[in-house]
Amino acid sequence: MLFRSPVSLTPSTTGTPSEGTVVAPGAVASPTPFAGAVVPSATRSVTPGLASTPSGTATTTPRSTVTVTVTPTPSPTVSATVTATRLPTSTVTPTVTATGTTVATGAPVRAQAAVGVRAVATEVAVDLSVGTDHACAIVTSGQAWCWGNGTSGQLGNSSNDTRTRPERVNTEQAFASVSAGASHTCALTAAGAAWCWGAGNSGQLGNNNSGNYNYPVAVSGGKTWTAISAGYNHTCALATDGAAWCWGDDGSGQLGDGSQSSNTQYAPVAVTGGRTYVAIAAGGKFTCAIATGGGLWCWGSNASGQVGDGASGTNRASPVDVSGGKTWATVVAGTSNACAVTTAGAAWCWGDNSIGQVDNGQGGVGQVVATPVAVATPVGTSGVTWARVGVGDYHTCATTTGGVAYCWGNGDYGKVGDGTQVTARKAPVAVSGTSTWTRIGAGGDASCGLDATGVPQCWGRNNLGQLGDGTGTDRATPATVVVSWGPVTVKIGRAHV
């Protein structure tokens, strides 16, 4: 930038720009400047979909450096650094406030972006999913990163090795959401394209092939999707019209197409019933989905009562109504049990309760809960309002609307996160630490959450690096994932990015 006299610069930029939008605040000089002076601004690119809030000030002196900082919500920081040179001395010392307007009168102050200025955006995680023994996250730029067991290619990094810390998925696709299954992973782009990677032996990648892929492949059919969920050996997704489609193993009727056979489907097939859905969850060998209007339907294996219709032992090849008549907001399916949260914030679970993972305060070997039961009141509280639930193999975790995390069920390897390794927790116990949680997930023997700053933390078993902390040590309390996605840097020109 070029200035006649020292200026202090306070950035101010708000809004929710779309893809490629350049936010270019200008400047207003005061006190009274000379007529006709125009103050163009440094331009910078702001991540699409984020509202930007000003933060910080910068003061220039002759041949000094100006740093303008804009802090988007939820947390990345974008900054630009330029060199300022003072022109011949002026008797007026204006204060320049970035507003995107033109100086009308007063001292001729001229600000211009220097060629080669770089804007640096700090990446944070915005989505997180936990599979059987791997986990994946999406960061603000849309990059996908995975860690843990990679023997089937489920990390998507073009290798089949285990990773103890996150590695970037090998693709230039920008993703908006991710779902980690048993040995495969699927993700959606912001435009609704579905991509999957990892084990494909049962057709769960949906690319009309049965091979494993250690890099993302497009789901066939050309549909635009709004939600996707990776289960054990099958995957389900919702199209933009609300129709549910599934692919992969159908041995227990988990595809919901009305058939139940050893046949696999290598491309999406429509779920029967003609309903439209707003949420879907693929579990071990069953699937659940919330219909438009809030009703809950499940299909597939019912060996442990996991379809929730009051019976057990008979599989369901088509959707059946979950008992209770409640209005549901979210649903999650685990290996043999499921949990859902009502619109009022009450959590209910059903299915296998052999180690207390359904959390009705009971639990025992072979115990089956075939209709939804209310989650017990967390230890040390008089009651909570639930926001999200994550269901694993034999344990469950959930967050409250206030961001407190609780877990229950099998506590081996410390996966309930309370600092212990108690075999069975039959009521929710608080996860240790002071973090406020925005996401939570439960896998085979590990759990992960996303804190309010966008940093993932994991706890439980770590034999395959599924905690992402760079070690193979089990943790009974949350350990910070060693993130390596770091900052993203872009160059700024005088009037372009």
Side-chain angles (χ1 to χ4, degrees), residues 105-134:
T105 60
V109 179
R110 185 158 57 98
Q112 193 169 32
V115 175
V117 174
R118 292 179 178 271
V120 180
T122 302
E123 296 275 25
V124 297
V126 295
D127 194 26
L128 174 72
S129 183
V130 185
T132 297
D133 44 30
H134 78 291

Side-chain angles (χ1 to χ4, degrees), residues 226-227 238-239 242-244 275-280 289-295 328-331:
T226 60
L238 300 181
R275 297 175 192 86
T276 58
Y277 297 94
V278 296
I280 196 162
I290 298 175
T292 303
W328 304 96
T330 64
V331 63

Side-chain angles (χ1 to χ4, degrees), residues 115-461:
V115 175
V117 174
R118 292 179 178 271
V120 180
T122 302
E123 296 275 25
V124 297
V126 295
D127 194 26
L128 174 72
S129 183
V130 185
T132 297
D133 44 30
H134 78 291
C136 296
I138 303 296
V139 297
T140 45
S141 66
Q143 295 176 359
W145 293 71
C146 299
W147 59 94
N149 184 12
T151 54
S152 297
Q154 60 265 52
L155 304 187
N157 61 345
S158 296
S159 82
N160 294 83
D161 297 329
T162 292
R163 295 288 187 259
T164 61
R165 58 183 62 193
E167 284 201 5
R168 185 181 173 185
V169 174
N170 188 15
T171 180
E172 294 304 316
Q173 297 294 324
F175 295 112
S177 63
V178 66
S179 178
S183 299
H184 74 294
T185 309
C186 294
L188 294 183
T189 68
W195 295 75
C196 296
W197 55 94
N201 56 299
S202 296
Q204 59 265 52
L205 303 186
N207 65 331
N208 268 319
N209 198 301
S210 61
N212 292 0
Y213 289 83
N214 56 21
Y215 55 87
V217 292
V219 173
S220 63
K223 297 186 184 304
T224 302
W225 308 97
T226 60
I228 196 165
S229 181
Y232 183 69
N233 278 339
H234 76 294
T235 306
C236 293
L238 300 181
T240 51
D241 62 359
W245 297 73
C246 297
W247 55 93
D249 179 25
D250 197 27
S252 299
Q254 59 263 52
L255 303 190
D257 63 348
S259 67
Q260 181 182 328
S261 67
S262 58
N263 293 334
T264 59
Q265 298 291 339
Y266 298 100
V269 294
V271 173
T272 62
R275 297 175 192 86
T276 58
Y277 297 94
V278 296
I280 196 162
K285 294 184 178 181
F286 74 109
T287 308
C288 294
I290 298 175
T292 303
L296 183 57
W297 299 75
C298 295
W299 56 93
S301 175
N302 198 30
S304 299
Q306 59 263 55
V307 300
D309 65 347
S312 63
T314 302
N315 296 343
R316 312 297 188 193
S318 299
V320 294
D321 193 6
V322 173
S323 301
K326 296 173 177 58
T327 303
W328 304 96
T330 64
V331 63
V332 182
T335 298
S336 299
N337 68 297
C339 295
V341 178
T342 68
T343 53
W348 298 71
C349 298
W350 60 97
D352 179 20
N353 196 34
S354 56
I355 314 183
Q357 63 267 44
V358 165
D359 183 28
N360 59 352
Q362 302 177 25
V365 175
Q367 185 179 106
V368 167
V369 178
T371 58
V373 294
V375 170
T377 300
V379 175
T381 74
S382 58
V384 298
T385 302
W386 299 102
R388 294 174 177 270
V389 182
V391 181
D393 282 359
Y394 295 100
H395 77 293
T396 306
C397 294
T399 58
T400 68
T401 52
V404 180
Y406 294 89
C407 296
W408 59 91
N410 187 345
D412 289 351
Y413 306 106
K415 56 181 172 281
V416 298
D418 67 342
T420 72
Q421 296 190 36
V422 176
T423 300
R425 288 289 193 184
K426 298 180 181 180
V429 292
V431 174
S432 297
T434 59
S435 296
T436 299
W437 304 95
T438 61
R439 298 278 195 284
I440 200 159
D445 284 315
S447 311
C448 294
L450 192 60
D451 70 24
T453 66
V455 175
Q457 301 181 48
C458 298
W459 55 96
R461 195 175 190 183

